[in-house]
Amino acid sequence: MKPAAPEYSRPTWARRRSVARVVLAVYVVLLATLLHLPQLDPVGASNEVPGTGGLPFDKTAHVGTFGLLGLLVVLATGGPGRAWWPRALAVLAAGLAVAGFKEITQTLVGRSGSVDDAAADGVGLVLGVAAAWVVGRWWYGAGDGDAADSAEITAPAASEGFVGHARLVAGLTLVSRVTGLVRDAVLAGVFGATVVLDAFLVGFIVPNLFRRLFGEGALTAAFIPRYTRLLADDPTAARRFASVCVVALVLLLAGVTLVGELGLWWLSTAVVETEKAALAVRLTMWMLPYAPMVCGVALLGAVLQVHRRFGPAAAAPVLLNLTVIGAAVLGAATAGQPGEAVRVAAAGVLVAGLLQLMWLGGSVAWAAPLTASFAGTGPALREMLRKMGPVVIGLGVFQLNTLLDAVVAFGLSKPEFEPGAGAGAGAETFDVLGRTIGYPLEAGAVTTLSLAQRLYQFPLGVFGVALATAIFPALAAAAGRKSGDAKPQAALGGGEFGEIFRRGVRLTLYLGLPASVGLILVRVPLVRVFFEWNRFTTEDALRCAAVLAGYGSAVWAYALTHVATKAFYAADDTATPLRVSLAMVGLNVLLNLTLIWPLGVAGLAWSTAICATLQAGLLVRGLRRHVDRPVDASVWRSVGRTATLCVAMAVGVGALVAVFDPATLGKTESVALLAGAVGLGGAVVVGGGRWWGMPETRELMSRGS
């Protein structure tokens, strides 16, 4: 007698369906990517599956991949029940349409379309749907899922202190930054400061721009305040709102990615002429599908943040770093040329995106499962999209500056392997409007910028971004509690909202100012310890250290900008950060093109630092619209004491570094000098803060808050 299927409760039933949907979403992204990348057909003399008497490999692959697709689609819509057969027939019809559309779109990337392939896809769909009847009873049991969409998610029981969450995010971010340093050190050692690594980093910048613009920027900034309020008022509506946002983001960015791939393909065939630019375009095409993946990861992380679950999103970058490290090592070991090895590293980025989606998707499926019901989400979605507009423009301007920095560094650096030029005559100059001009930057300028950014972003991510991430839900909740007032914006600064912001400013500057001073003092041993090995030389390290001095001078400003911007978004004011960003764009471009001639690649870093300092000041000043005193006496008192500690630290650490010549030390001596300098600086700041009785020291070291 067959044992009865287990009977699950409705919440468990809903969570299991959410997990199935996450797996389906990741699989669809993987399948669409693999089916539309060029030259992915099996390589070898035979196209037969061994041991099957001549069964074609490609047809078997079509049956298997679409069979799994049919199985996952049926499971994602629910288990066996009254509506199973209509769902199964709908899946078959939609799957056949997708199979035909896939054969057509494959021709756009140089692959052939085939009716036989579409027929094999159809056979796979039938088998997958049939298998779903058996697998579904095992996965869902005998529970009734008709009302699963009504299973509610709940808001956190009470407002929790953001400093404790900031410590959690900071700890996980520290792990992420360490693995990121290892990742960049491996890339630098494998490829050196060369055009090959420059091209990889330029290609990787593009999907990261999407992450910062949509994932961690405009969408989450507009999403978190509304989701927080809905969760407090109507958890069912909040669940539907989160679900429709995820679906809308995936559809939008999937379309943008397809258009981007077509545009890059056109550039590679009709516009690009140099080998350097062609490599950058090809690598960008490989890594562009990472954009919708990482943006989905960021939005799922935003859902978890509102539920005070900061760990999964903070740990997700570790998956990226470890995967790229493995791919780079594998590429170096198996590929004959750097140009071939770097493609393996690019493929590792796509694998990392899928792993991150599974990690965050599984976390959301259990903590706050999504739903397929979007009823009543129209007004909240339209309001969010309306608020997103200024944020998209503002962040788009800022991210355009980031991209322009890389483009300037890539385009105005000496070409390392131009056809027919190499390192000889013609590689030192270029022609503009009939004039011959020398390249202002050395080859590998993008690599130099990227490695310096990694080092200054280490303390910025560990405390600055972590603090801004943790403070955002607290600010949004405080602003939401004022939403019923007649003049909610004017009421924000008089109570909880203003206190939270000022507390964030004090903590940001207490950590940021010493970090800026410390990075400038230890820049040479820091770069040499982490990056100088194999193909990355001492000369490369000294050039990177000069860039780090520029970036490091404004770590406090970058962190303060993050916190101030989150305060504006929590107050539902997206226009002010937009205006400030627009004001900075012209200055940044002007400084970029001016400072690279006397300062080289370091000029780009100093341009960024100058603009960041001005931006932070303007944002804090603009917050007077929402906070009566963004910077009050307590903040100035804290800044004065922190500045005094920075002076003491600079004297002690500066004297220690001055005794040695960091540029001439070996690896062991550099490690010892760096450890001694960091230990001395930390002891001065933390010990001085405790002796002075600064509340910032107590808050960061206590288990509460």
Side-chain angles (χ1 to χ4, degrees):
M1 181 177 178
K2 183 172 68 174
E7 184 169 353
Y8 296 118
S9 64
R10 287 177 180 174
T12 301
W13 197 98
R15 283 183 167 85
R16 286 177 174 256
R17 189 177 63 177
S18 295
V19 171
R21 289 174 175 173
V22 169
V23 175
L24 172 63
V26 174
Y27 183 72
V28 167
V29 173
L30 173 64
L31 190 61
T33 301
L34 293 179
L35 290 176
H36 290 88
L37 286 176
Q39 298 178 344
L40 287 180
D41 294 330
V43 178
S46 173
N47 187 32
E48 298 177 355
V49 180
T52 60
L55 189 63
F57 183 94
D58 58 341
K59 298 301 182 288
T60 305
H62 279 276
V63 172
T65 53
F66 272 77
L68 183 56
L69 178 64
L71 170 66
L72 291 176
V73 171
V74 175
L75 290 181
T77 56
R82 288 171 294 178
W84 188 84
W85 282 108
R87 290 202 315 271
L89 293 175
V91 168
L92 286 174
L96 289 173
V98 169
F101 180 73
K102 177 261 299 180
E103 295 299 324
I104 295 173
T105 56
Q106 279 184 329
T107 62
L108 299 176
V109 294
R111 300 182 64 171
S112 60
S114 169
V115 176
D116 293 343
D117 289 344
D121 296 336
V123 172
L125 286 168
V126 172
L127 295 176
V129 169
W133 175 259
V134 178
V135 177
R137 292 185 63 81
W138 163 75
W139 181 245
Y140 287 110
D144 181 10
D146 291 342
D149 284 326
S150 66
E152 294 186 351
I153 53 178
T154 57
S159 177
E160 303 175 36
F162 68 86
V163 178
H165 294 309
R167 284 197 298 268
L168 171 63
V169 176
L172 292 172
T173 303
L174 176 62
V175 177
S176 169
R177 298 295 179 177
V178 169
T179 56
L181 278 173
V182 175
R183 181 195 78 190
D184 288 350
V186 168
L187 291 172
V190 168
F191 300 107
T194 62
V195 171
V196 172
L197 186 51
D198 278 3
F200 174 85
L201 295 172
V202 168
F204 191 49
I205 283 173
V206 175
N208 268 318
L209 292 182
F210 281 92
R211 172 181 61 83
R212 293 166 185 157
L213 179 58
F214 290 101
E216 296 175 353
L219 187 58
T220 53
F223 169 81
I224 286 181
R226 280 152 193 81
Y227 184 59
T228 301
R229 291 195 289 269
L230 279 174
L231 194 60
D233 298 336
D234 187 348
T236 299
R239 183 185 182 199
R240 293 174 177 174
F241 174 66
S243 303
V244 75
C245 287
V246 171
V247 172
L249 178 68
V250 170
L251 293 177
L252 170 65
L253 291 182
V256 171
T257 301
L258 179 59
V259 173
E261 291 284 4
L262 293 175
L264 290 168
W265 173 79
W266 175 78
L267 281 176
S268 66
T269 56
V271 177
V272 171
E273 297 180 355
T274 65
E275 186 178 351
K276 180 176 79 170
L279 179 60
V281 171
R282 289 196 299 270
L283 290 174
T284 304
M285 291 182 68
W286 269 90
M287 290 184 280
L288 188 59
Y290 181 64
M293 301 183 203
V294 73
C295 289
V297 166
L299 183 57
L300 293 173
V303 173
L304 293 171
Q305 287 175 27
V306 176
H307 291 269
R308 303 300 193 268
R309 296 174 181 263
F310 295 90
V318 177
L319 294 173
L320 170 67
N321 297 330
L322 295 178
T323 305
V324 174
I325 289 170
V329 172
L330 177 64
T334 59
Q337 300 294 328
E340 298 172 358
V342 79
R343 292 184 180 91
V344 180
V349 172
L350 299 182
V351 174
L354 295 171
L355 294 176
Q356 289 176 313
L357 273 177
M358 292 180 182
W359 171 248
L360 266 297
S363 299
V364 169
W366 287 104
L370 304 180
T371 177
S373 175
F374 305 148
T377 59
L381 183 61
R382 285 192 295 271
E383 181 189 5
M384 187 191 74
L385 293 175
R386 180 176 60 84
K387 289 293 184 180
M388 273 181 62
V391 185
V392 168
I393 297 173
L395 287 174
V397 169
F398 178 77
Q399 298 305 329
L400 179 61
N401 280 335
T402 303
L403 180 60
L404 286 176
D405 286 351
V407 170
V408 168
F410 191 68
L412 295 182
S413 59
K414 294 177 182 178
E416 203 170 54
F417 53 77
E418 290 290 352
E428 301 290 328
T429 62
F430 63 99
D431 294 330
V432 176
L433 301 177
R435 297 185 59 187
T436 299
I437 302 175
Y439 284 100
L441 305 177
E442 296 293 329
V446 177
T447 299
T448 301
L449 278 177
S450 179
L451 296 181
Q453 288 169 359
R454 169 62 63 183
L455 291 175
Y456 93 77
Q457 287 172 357
F458 190 97
L460 176 63
V462 169
F463 71 83
V465 176
L467 187 61
T469 299
I471 202 175
F472 190 19
L475 287 168
R481 285 189 280 273
K482 294 292 185 180
S483 60
D485 296 349
K487 295 181 179 180
Q489 303 296 351
L492 293 178
E496 185 182 8
F497 185 91
E499 286 301 318
I500 292 174
F501 174 72
R502 285 187 286 270
R503 189 182 179 193
V505 172
R506 289 189 288 104
L507 290 168
T508 297
L509 296 179
Y510 174 72
L511 294 168
L513 289 172
S516 290
V517 175
L519 280 175
I520 294 173
L521 292 172
V522 302
R523 63 191 184 277
V524 174
L526 183 63
V527 174
R528 296 194 67 196
V529 165
F530 283 104
F531 298 132
E532 186 184 321
W533 70 285
N534 202 18
R535 297 186 180 182
F536 197 83
T537 65
T538 301
E539 183 182 355
D540 296 330
L542 294 177
R543 189 181 305 120
C544 185
V547 175
L548 180 59
Y551 280 133
S553 66
V555 167
W556 64 272
Y558 309 137
L560 186 57
T561 296
H562 277 289
V563 173
T565 301
K566 296 296 186 184
F568 277 109
Y569 292 161
D572 235 2
D573 180 358
T574 56
T576 302
L578 168 61
R579 288 194 293 268
V580 174
S581 295
L582 290 174
M584 290 298 103
V585 63
L587 178 62
N588 187 57
V589 172
L590 178 63
L591 290 175
N592 275 348
L593 297 178
T594 301
L595 296 179
I596 59 171
W597 302 98
L599 300 178
V601 68
L604 299 174
W606 283 106
S607 172
T608 300
I610 292 170
C611 292
T613 301
L614 291 175
Q615 185 175 12
L618 291 172
L619 285 174
V620 172
R621 186 173 184 273
L623 267 171
R624 290 186 295 184
R625 295 182 54 198
H626 309 293
V627 180
D628 293 337
R629 296 184 307 280
V631 179
D632 63 1
S634 67
V635 174
W636 285 117
R637 184 165 52 251
S638 175
V639 171
R641 293 178 175 179
T642 301
T644 303
L645 294 176
C646 287
V647 172
M649 181 187 73
V651 171
V653 175
L656 177 63
V657 174
V659 172
F660 306 94
D661 183 0
T664 62
L665 298 179
K667 179 70 74 172
T668 302
E669 292 83 358
S670 295
V671 171
L673 176 60
L674 180 62
V678 172
L680 176 59
V684 170
V685 174
V686 175
R690 288 179 64 88
W691 173 79
W692 221 328
M694 295 181 68
E696 295 79 17
T697 306
R698 292 196 304 270
E699 290 181 33
L700 291 170
M701 298 183 68
S702 65
R703 291 182 176 271
S705 304

